[in-house]
Coordinates of all heavy atoms in Angstrom, one line a residue:
M223 N -79.4 -213.8 38.6 CA -78.3 -213.6 37.9 C -78.1 -214.3 36.6 O -77.3 -214.0 35.8 CB -76.9 -213.7 38.6 CG -76.7 -212.6 39.6 SD -75.1 -212.8 40.5 CE -75.7 -213.0 42.2
G224 N -79.0 -215.4 36.5 CA -79.0 -216.1 35.2 C -78.1 -217.3 35.2 O -78.5 -218.3 34.8
T225 N -76.9 -217.2 35.6 CA -76.0 -218.3 35.6 C -75.5 -218.5 37.1 O -75.7 -217.8 37.9 CB -74.7 -218.1 34.7 OG1 -74.1 -217.0 35.2 CG2 -75.3 -218.0 33.2
A226 N -74.8 -219.7 37.2 CA -74.2 -220.0 38.6 C -73.3 -218.8 38.9 O -72.5 -218.5 38.1 CB -73.5 -221.3 38.6
A227 N -73.3 -218.3 40.1 CA -72.5 -217.2 40.6 C -71.1 -217.9 41.1 O -71.1 -219.0 41.6 CB -73.2 -216.5 41.7
T228 N -70.2 -217.1 41.0 CA -68.9 -217.2 41.5 C -68.6 -216.5 42.7 O -68.8 -215.3 42.6 CB -67.8 -217.1 40.4 OG1 -68.0 -217.9 39.3 CG2 -66.3 -217.4 41.0
R229 N -68.2 -217.1 43.8 CA -67.9 -216.4 45.0 C -66.5 -215.6 45.0 O -65.6 -216.3 44.5 CB -68.0 -217.4 46.1 CG -67.9 -216.7 47.5 CD -67.9 -217.7 48.6 NE -67.8 -217.0 49.8 CZ -68.6 -217.2 50.9 NH1 -69.6 -217.9 50.8 NH2 -68.4 -216.5 52.0
A230 N -66.6 -214.5 45.4 CA -65.3 -213.7 45.3 C -65.1 -212.8 46.6 O -66.2 -212.4 47.2 CB -65.2 -212.8 44.1
T231 N -63.9 -212.7 47.2 CA -63.7 -211.8 48.2 C -63.3 -210.4 47.7 O -62.4 -210.4 46.9 CB -62.6 -212.4 49.1 OG1 -63.0 -213.7 49.6 CG2 -62.3 -211.5 50.3
V232 N -63.9 -209.4 48.1 CA -63.7 -208.0 47.7 C -63.6 -207.2 49.1 O -64.5 -207.3 50.0 CB -64.8 -207.5 46.9 CG1 -64.5 -206.2 46.4 CG2 -65.1 -208.3 45.6
Y233 N -62.5 -206.3 49.1 CA -62.3 -205.6 50.3 C -62.8 -204.2 49.8 O -62.4 -203.6 49.0 CB -60.9 -205.6 50.6 CG -60.5 -206.9 51.1 CD1 -59.9 -207.7 50.2 CD2 -60.7 -207.4 52.4 CE1 -59.4 -209.1 50.6 CE2 -60.3 -208.6 52.8 CZ -59.7 -209.4 52.0 OH -59.4 -210.7 52.4
L234 N -63.8 -203.6 50.6 CA -64.4 -202.3 50.3 C -64.1 -201.4 51.4 O -64.0 -201.8 52.6 CB -65.9 -202.4 50.4 CG -66.5 -203.3 49.2 CD1 -68.0 -203.5 49.4 CD2 -66.1 -202.9 47.8
D235 N -64.0 -200.1 51.2 CA -63.9 -199.1 52.1 C -65.0 -199.1 53.1 O -66.2 -199.3 52.5 CB -63.8 -197.7 51.5 CG -63.8 -196.5 52.4 OD1 -64.9 -196.2 52.8 OD2 -62.7 -196.0 52.6
P236 N -64.9 -199.0 54.3 CA -66.0 -199.2 55.2 C -67.2 -198.4 55.0 O -68.4 -198.7 55.1 CB -65.5 -198.9 56.6 CG -64.0 -199.2 56.5 CD -63.6 -198.9 55.1
D237 N -67.0 -197.1 54.6 CA -68.1 -196.1 54.3 C -68.8 -196.5 53.0 O -69.9 -196.4 52.9 CB -67.6 -194.6 54.2 CG -67.2 -194.1 55.6 OD1 -67.7 -194.7 56.6 OD2 -66.2 -193.3 55.6
L238 N -68.0 -197.0 52.1 CA -68.6 -197.4 50.8 C -69.4 -198.7 51.1 O -70.6 -198.8 50.5 CB -67.6 -197.7 49.8 CG -66.8 -196.5 49.2 CD1 -65.8 -197.0 48.2 CD2 -67.7 -195.5 48.6
H239 N -69.0 -199.5 51.8 CA -69.7 -200.8 52.2 C -71.0 -200.4 52.8 O -72.2 -200.9 52.5 CB -68.9 -201.7 53.1 CG -69.6 -202.9 53.3 ND1 -70.0 -203.3 54.6 CD2 -69.9 -204.0 52.6 CE1 -70.6 -204.5 54.7 NE2 -70.6 -204.9 53.3
R240 N -70.9 -199.4 53.8 CA -72.2 -198.9 54.5 C -73.2 -198.3 53.5 O -74.4 -198.7 53.6 CB -71.8 -198.0 55.6 CG -73.0 -197.6 56.3 CD -72.6 -196.8 57.6 NE -73.8 -196.7 58.4 CZ -74.3 -195.5 58.7 NH1 -73.8 -194.3 58.2 NH2 -75.4 -195.4 59.5
A241 N -72.7 -197.5 52.7 CA -73.5 -196.9 51.6 C -74.2 -198.1 50.7 O -75.4 -197.9 50.3 CB -72.8 -195.9 50.7
L242 N -73.4 -198.9 50.3 CA -73.9 -200.0 49.5 C -75.0 -200.8 50.2 O -75.9 -201.3 49.6 CB -72.6 -201.0 49.0 CG -73.0 -202.1 48.1 CD1 -73.4 -201.5 46.7 CD2 -71.6 -202.9 47.8
R243 N -74.7 -201.2 51.5 CA -75.7 -201.9 52.2 C -77.0 -201.1 52.4 O -78.1 -201.6 52.2 CB -75.2 -202.1 53.7 CG -74.3 -203.4 53.8 CD -74.0 -203.8 55.2 NE -74.4 -202.9 56.2 CZ -73.5 -202.2 57.0 NH1 -72.1 -202.4 56.9 NH2 -73.8 -201.4 57.9
L244 N -76.9 -199.8 52.6 CA -78.2 -199.0 52.7 C -78.9 -198.9 51.3 O -80.1 -198.9 51.3 CB -77.8 -197.5 53.2 CG -77.3 -197.4 54.5 CD1 -76.6 -196.0 54.8 CD2 -78.4 -197.7 55.5
K245 N -78.1 -198.8 50.1 CA -78.8 -198.8 48.9 C -79.5 -200.2 48.6 O -80.5 -200.1 48.1 CB -77.7 -198.5 47.8 CG -78.3 -198.4 46.4 CD -77.4 -198.0 45.4 CE -78.1 -197.9 44.1 NZ -77.2 -197.2 43.0
A246 N -78.8 -201.2 49.1 CA -79.4 -202.5 48.9 C -80.8 -202.6 49.6 O -81.7 -203.1 49.1 CB -78.5 -203.6 49.3
V247 N -80.9 -202.1 50.8 CA -82.0 -202.2 51.6 C -83.2 -201.3 50.9 O -84.2 -201.7 50.7 CB -81.8 -201.7 53.0 CG1 -83.1 -201.5 53.8 CG2 -80.9 -202.7 53.7
E248 N -82.7 -200.1 50.6 CA -83.6 -199.0 50.0 C -84.2 -199.5 48.7 O -85.4 -199.1 48.3 CB -83.0 -197.7 50.0 CG -82.9 -197.1 51.3 CD -82.6 -195.6 51.3 OE1 -82.7 -194.9 50.2 OE2 -82.3 -195.0 52.3
T249 N -83.4 -200.2 47.9 CA -83.8 -200.5 46.5 C -84.2 -202.1 46.5 O -84.7 -202.5 45.4 CB -82.7 -200.4 45.5 OG1 -81.6 -201.2 45.9 CG2 -82.2 -199.0 45.5
D250 N -84.3 -202.6 47.6 CA -84.7 -204.1 47.7 C -84.0 -205.0 46.7 O -84.5 -205.9 46.0 CB -86.2 -204.2 47.5 CG -86.8 -205.5 47.9 OD1 -86.2 -206.1 48.9 OD2 -87.7 -206.1 47.3
Q251 N -82.6 -204.8 46.7 CA -81.7 -205.6 45.8 C -80.7 -206.1 46.8 O -80.3 -205.6 47.8 CB -81.1 -204.7 44.7 CG -82.1 -204.1 43.8 CD -81.5 -203.3 42.7 OE1 -80.8 -203.8 41.9 NE2 -81.7 -202.0 42.7
S252 N -80.0 -207.1 46.3 CA -78.9 -207.6 47.1 C -77.6 -206.8 46.8 O -77.6 -206.1 45.7 CB -78.6 -209.2 46.7 OG -78.1 -209.3 45.4
I253 N -76.7 -206.9 47.7 CA -75.4 -206.2 47.4 C -74.7 -206.9 46.2 O -74.1 -206.1 45.4 CB -74.5 -206.4 48.6 CG1 -75.0 -205.4 49.8 CG2 -73.0 -206.0 48.3 CD1 -74.3 -205.6 51.1
S254 N -74.9 -208.1 46.0 CA -74.2 -208.9 44.9 C -74.8 -208.3 43.6 O -74.1 -208.1 42.5 CB -74.6 -210.4 44.9 OG -73.8 -210.9 46.0
K255 N -76.1 -208.1 43.5 CA -76.8 -207.6 42.3 C -76.2 -206.1 42.1 O -75.9 -205.9 40.9 CB -78.2 -207.6 42.3 CG -78.9 -207.1 41.2 CD -80.4 -207.2 41.0 CE -81.0 -206.6 39.8 NZ -80.4 -205.8 39.0
L256 N -76.1 -205.4 43.1 CA -75.6 -204.0 42.9 C -74.2 -204.0 42.3 O -74.0 -203.2 41.4 CB -75.8 -203.1 44.1 CG -77.2 -203.0 44.6 CD1 -77.2 -202.3 46.0 CD2 -77.9 -202.0 43.6
V257 N -73.4 -204.8 42.9 CA -72.0 -204.8 42.6 C -71.9 -205.4 41.0 O -71.2 -204.9 40.2 CB -71.2 -205.7 43.5 CG1 -69.8 -205.9 42.9 CG2 -71.1 -205.0 44.8
N258 N -72.7 -206.5 40.8 CA -72.7 -207.0 39.3 C -73.1 -206.0 38.5 O -72.5 -206.0 37.3 CB -73.6 -208.3 39.3 CG -72.9 -209.5 39.7 OD1 -71.9 -210.0 39.0 ND2 -73.1 -210.1 40.8
D259 N -74.2 -205.3 38.7 CA -74.7 -204.2 37.8 C -73.7 -203.1 37.6 O -73.6 -202.7 36.4 CB -76.1 -203.6 38.4 CG -77.2 -204.6 38.2 OD1 -77.1 -205.7 37.7 OD2 -78.3 -204.2 38.9
A260 N -72.9 -202.7 38.6 CA -72.0 -201.7 38.5 C -70.8 -202.2 37.6 O -70.3 -201.4 36.8 CB -71.4 -201.2 39.9
I261 N -70.4 -203.4 37.8 CA -69.4 -204.0 37.0 C -69.8 -204.1 35.5 O -69.0 -203.7 34.6 CB -68.8 -205.4 37.5 CG1 -68.2 -205.2 39.0 CG2 -68.0 -206.1 36.5 CD1 -68.0 -206.5 39.7
K262 N -71.0 -204.6 35.3 CA -71.4 -204.7 33.8 C -71.5 -203.3 33.3 O -71.1 -203.1 32.1 CB -72.8 -205.2 33.9 CG -72.9 -206.7 34.2 CD -74.3 -207.1 34.1 CE -74.4 -208.6 34.6 NZ -75.9 -209.0 34.8
E263 N -71.9 -202.2 34.0 CA -71.9 -200.9 33.3 C -70.4 -200.4 33.1 O -70.3 -199.8 32.1 CB -72.7 -200.0 34.5 CG -72.8 -198.6 34.0 CD -73.6 -197.7 34.9 OE1 -74.4 -198.1 35.6 OE2 -73.2 -196.5 34.9
S264 N -69.6 -200.7 33.9 CA -68.3 -200.3 33.7 C -67.6 -200.9 32.5 O -67.1 -200.4 31.6 CB -67.4 -200.6 35.0 OG -66.0 -200.3 34.7
I265 N -67.9 -202.2 32.5 CA -67.3 -202.9 31.2 C -68.1 -202.5 30.0 O -67.4 -202.3 28.9 CB -67.5 -204.5 31.5 CG1 -66.6 -205.0 32.6 CG2 -67.3 -205.2 30.2 CD1 -66.8 -206.3 33.0
A266 N -69.4 -202.2 30.0 CA -70.1 -201.7 28.8 C -69.5 -200.4 28.4 O -69.4 -200.1 27.2 CB -71.5 -201.6 29.1
E267 N -69.1 -199.5 29.2 CA -68.4 -198.2 29.0 C -67.2 -198.4 28.4 O -66.7 -197.8 27.4 CB -68.3 -197.3 30.3 CG -69.6 -196.7 30.9 CD -69.4 -196.1 32.1 OE1 -68.2 -195.8 32.5 OE2 -70.4 -195.6 32.6
D268 N -66.3 -199.4 28.8 CA -65.0 -199.8 28.2 C -65.3 -200.2 26.7 O -64.6 -199.9 25.8 CB -64.4 -200.8 29.0 CG -63.8 -200.4 30.3 OD1 -63.8 -199.3 30.6 OD2 -63.4 -201.3 31.1
A269 N -66.3 -201.1 26.5 CA -66.7 -201.5 25.2 C -66.9 -200.3 24.2 O -66.6 -200.4 23.2 CB -67.8 -202.6 25.1
D270 N -67.7 -199.3 24.8 CA -68.2 -198.3 24.0 C -66.8 -197.4 23.7 O -66.7 -196.9 22.5 CB -69.1 -197.3 24.7 CG -70.5 -197.9 24.8 OD1 -70.8 -198.9 24.1 OD2 -71.4 -197.5 25.7
D271 N -66.0 -197.2 24.6 CA -64.8 -196.5 24.4 C -63.9 -197.2 23.3 O -63.2 -196.5 22.4 CB -63.9 -196.4 25.8 CG -64.5 -195.5 26.7 OD1 -65.5 -194.7 26.3 OD2 -64.1 -195.4 27.9
I272 N -63.8 -198.5 23.5 CA -63.1 -199.3 22.5 C -63.6 -199.1 21.1 O -62.7 -198.9 20.2 CB -62.9 -200.7 22.8 CG1 -62.0 -200.9 24.1 CG2 -62.4 -201.6 21.6 CD1 -62.1 -202.3 24.8
A273 N -64.9 -199.2 21.0 CA -65.5 -199.0 19.6 C -65.2 -197.5 19.1 O -65.0 -197.4 17.9 CB -67.0 -199.1 19.8
A274 N -65.2 -196.6 20.0 CA -65.0 -195.2 19.5 C -63.5 -195.1 19.0 O -63.3 -194.4 18.0 CB -65.2 -194.2 20.7
F275 N -62.6 -195.7 19.8 CA -61.2 -195.6 19.3 C -61.1 -196.3 18.0 O -60.4 -195.8 17.1 CB -60.2 -196.3 20.4 CG -60.0 -195.4 21.6 CD1 -60.3 -195.8 22.8 CD2 -59.3 -194.1 21.4 CE1 -60.0 -194.9 23.9 CE2 -59.0 -193.4 22.5 CZ -59.4 -193.8 23.8
E276 N -61.7 -197.4 17.8 CA -61.6 -198.3 16.6 C -62.1 -197.3 15.4 O -61.6 -197.4 14.3 CB -62.2 -199.5 16.7 CG -61.4 -200.5 17.4 CD -62.3 -201.8 17.6 OE1 -63.4 -201.9 17.4 OE2 -61.6 -202.7 18.3
L277 N -63.2 -196.6 15.6 CA -63.9 -195.7 14.6 C -62.8 -194.7 14.2 O -62.8 -194.2 13.0 CB -65.2 -195.1 15.0 CG -66.3 -196.0 15.0 CD1 -67.5 -195.3 15.6 CD2 -66.7 -196.4 13.6
R278 N -62.0 -194.1 15.1 CA -61.1 -193.1 14.9 C -59.7 -193.5 14.5 O -58.9 -192.6 14.3 CB -61.0 -192.0 16.0 CG -62.6 -191.5 16.3 CD -62.5 -190.6 17.3 NE -61.9 -189.3 16.9 CZ -61.7 -188.2 17.5 NH1 -62.1 -188.1 18.7 NH2 -61.1 -187.2 17.0
A279 N -59.6 -194.7 14.4 CA -58.1 -195.3 14.3 C -57.4 -194.8 13.0 O -56.2 -194.6 13.0 CB -58.1 -196.9 14.2
G280 N -58.2 -194.4 11.9 CA -57.6 -194.0 10.7 C -57.4 -192.5 10.6 O -56.8 -192.0 9.7
E281 N -57.8 -191.8 11.7 CA -57.7 -190.3 11.7 C -56.2 -189.9 11.9 O -55.4 -190.5 12.4 CB -58.5 -189.6 12.8 CG -59.9 -189.7 12.5 CD -60.8 -189.1 13.6 OE1 -60.2 -188.3 14.4 OE2 -61.9 -189.2 13.6
R282 N -55.8 -188.8 11.3 CA -54.5 -188.2 11.4 C -54.3 -187.9 12.9 O -54.9 -187.2 13.5 CB -54.3 -187.0 10.5 CG -52.9 -186.4 10.4 CD -52.9 -185.3 9.4 NE -52.3 -184.2 10.1 CZ -53.0 -183.1 10.5 NH1 -54.2 -183.0 10.2 NH2 -52.3 -182.1 11.1
L283 N -53.1 -188.1 13.3 CA -52.7 -187.8 14.8 C -52.3 -186.3 14.8 O -51.6 -185.9 13.9 CB -51.5 -188.6 15.2 CG -51.0 -188.5 16.7 CD1 -52.1 -188.8 17.6 CD2 -49.8 -189.3 16.9
V284 N -52.8 -185.6 15.9 CA -52.4 -184.3 16.0 C -51.6 -184.1 17.3 O -52.0 -184.6 18.3 CB -53.6 -183.3 16.1 CG1 -53.2 -181.9 16.4 CG2 -54.5 -183.5 14.9
T285 N -50.4 -183.7 17.1 CA -49.6 -183.6 18.4 C -50.0 -182.4 19.3 O -50.6 -181.5 18.8 CB -48.0 -183.4 18.1 OG1 -47.9 -182.1 17.5 CG2 -47.6 -184.5 17.2
Y286 N -49.6 -182.5 20.5 CA -49.9 -181.4 21.5 C -49.3 -180.1 20.9 O -49.9 -179.0 21.0 CB -49.4 -181.8 22.8 CG -49.5 -180.7 23.9 CD1 -50.8 -180.6 24.4 CD2 -48.5 -180.0 24.4 CE1 -50.9 -179.4 25.3 CE2 -48.6 -179.0 25.3 CZ -50.0 -178.7 25.8 OH -50.1 -177.8 26.7
D287 N -48.0 -180.1 20.5 CA -47.3 -178.9 20.1 C -48.1 -178.3 18.9 O -48.3 -177.1 18.8 CB -45.9 -179.2 19.6 CG -45.0 -179.6 20.8 OD1 -45.3 -179.2 21.9 OD2 -43.9 -180.1 20.5
A288 N -48.5 -179.2 17.9 CA -49.3 -178.6 16.8 C -50.6 -178.1 17.2 O -51.0 -177.0 16.7 CB -49.5 -179.8 15.8
M289 N -51.3 -178.6 18.1 CA -52.5 -178.0 18.7 C -52.4 -176.7 19.3 O -53.2 -175.8 19.1 CB -53.3 -179.1 19.6 CG -54.6 -178.6 20.1 SD -55.8 -178.2 18.9 CE -56.2 -179.8 18.4
I290 N -51.3 -176.6 20.2 CA -51.1 -175.4 20.9 C -50.7 -174.3 19.7 O -51.2 -173.1 19.9 CB -49.8 -175.4 21.8 CG1 -50.1 -176.5 22.9 CG2 -49.4 -174.2 22.3 CD1 -51.4 -176.0 23.7
K291 N -49.9 -174.6 18.7 CA -49.7 -173.6 17.7 C -50.9 -173.2 17.0 O -51.1 -172.1 16.7 CB -48.7 -174.2 16.7 CG -47.2 -174.3 17.3 CD -46.2 -175.0 16.3 CE -44.9 -175.1 17.0 NZ -44.0 -175.9 16.2
K292 N -51.8 -174.2 16.7 CA -53.1 -173.9 16.0 C -54.0 -172.9 16.8 O -54.6 -172.0 16.4 CB -53.8 -175.2 15.7 CG -55.1 -174.8 14.9 CD -55.8 -176.1 14.5 CE -57.1 -176.1 13.8 NZ -57.7 -174.8 13.6
L293 N -54.1 -173.3 18.1 CA -54.9 -172.4 19.0 C -54.4 -171.1 19.1 O -55.1 -170.0 19.1 CB -55.0 -173.1 20.4 CG -55.7 -174.4 20.6 CD1 -55.6 -175.1 21.9 CD2 -57.2 -174.1 20.2
K294 N -53.0 -170.9 19.2 CA -52.3 -169.6 19.2 C -52.6 -168.8 17.9 O -53.0 -167.6 18.0 CB -50.9 -169.7 19.5 CG -50.1 -168.4 19.6 CD -49.2 -168.5 20.8 CE -48.6 -167.1 21.0 NZ -48.7 -166.5 22.2
K295 N -52.4 -169.5 16.8 CA -52.6 -168.9 15.5 C -54.1 -168.4 15.3 O -54.3 -167.3 14.8 CB -52.3 -169.9 14.4 CG -52.5 -169.3 13.0 CD -52.2 -170.4 11.9 CE -52.8 -170.0 10.7 NZ -53.0 -171.2 9.8
D296 N -55.1 -169.2 15.8 CA -56.4 -168.8 15.7 C -56.9 -167.8 16.7 O -58.0 -167.3 16.7 CB -57.2 -170.1 15.8 CG -57.1 -171.1 14.7 OD1 -56.6 -170.7 13.6 OD2 -57.6 -172.3 14.9
G297 N -55.9 -167.4 17.6 CA -56.3 -166.4 18.6 C -57.1 -166.9 19.8 O -57.7 -166.2 20.5
R298 N -57.1 -168.3 20.0 CA -57.9 -168.8 21.0 C -57.2 -168.9 22.3 O -57.9 -169.1 23.4 CB -58.5 -170.2 20.5 CG -59.3 -170.1 19.3 CD -59.7 -171.4 18.8 NE -61.0 -171.8 19.4 CZ -61.4 -173.0 19.1 NH1 -60.8 -173.9 18.4 NH2 -62.5 -173.4 19.7
I299 N -55.9 -168.8 22.3 CA -55.1 -168.7 23.6 C -54.1 -167.6 23.4 O -53.8 -167.0 22.3 CB -54.3 -169.9 24.0 CG1 -53.4 -170.4 22.7 CG2 -55.4 -171.0 24.2 CD1 -52.4 -171.6 23.1

């Protein structure tokens, strides 16, 4: 993992825990590595989402009502 690990207690659904254990065995990885990798992936997705929101921050806001009216006018609904 590169740095000293911090111990944490996590409560998992029993079926998810069993699936995680099986994946750890089949991939020859520890449960800790699989959990850390999943968390890193989730946080990276959040970072991508934040960057996308920041890129679009200056765009004009379109309300739901305005979008419905436009779709109706264009014959799409």
Side-chain angles (χ1 to χ4, degrees):
M223 283 185 249
T225 60
T228 301
R229 186 180 178 125
T231 301
V232 178
Y233 296 94
L234 302 172
D235 175 279
D237 291 333
L238 293 177
H239 184 248
R240 183 168 189 249
L242 186 59
R243 281 192 341 249
L244 291 170
K245 183 173 182 173
V247 168
E248 287 192 16
T249 61
D250 195 31
Q251 299 179 68
S252 69
I253 289 176
S254 292
K255 181 173 182 342
L256 292 173
V257 171
N258 274 290
D259 289 349
I261 292 169
K262 287 177 187 176
E263 184 177 327
S264 178
I265 290 172
E267 287 176 6
D268 290 345
D270 291 343
D271 291 344
I272 290 167
F275 280 120
E276 288 173 350
L277 284 174
R278 300 186 70 181
E281 291 183 11
R282 190 177 124 254
L283 179 64
V284 178
T285 66
Y286 178 71
D287 291 342
M289 179 57 72
I290 296 300
K291 287 176 185 174
K292 181 177 179 352
L293 291 171
K294 182 132 178 128
K295 179 182 165 205
D296 293 345
R298 296 172 92 189
I299 59 171

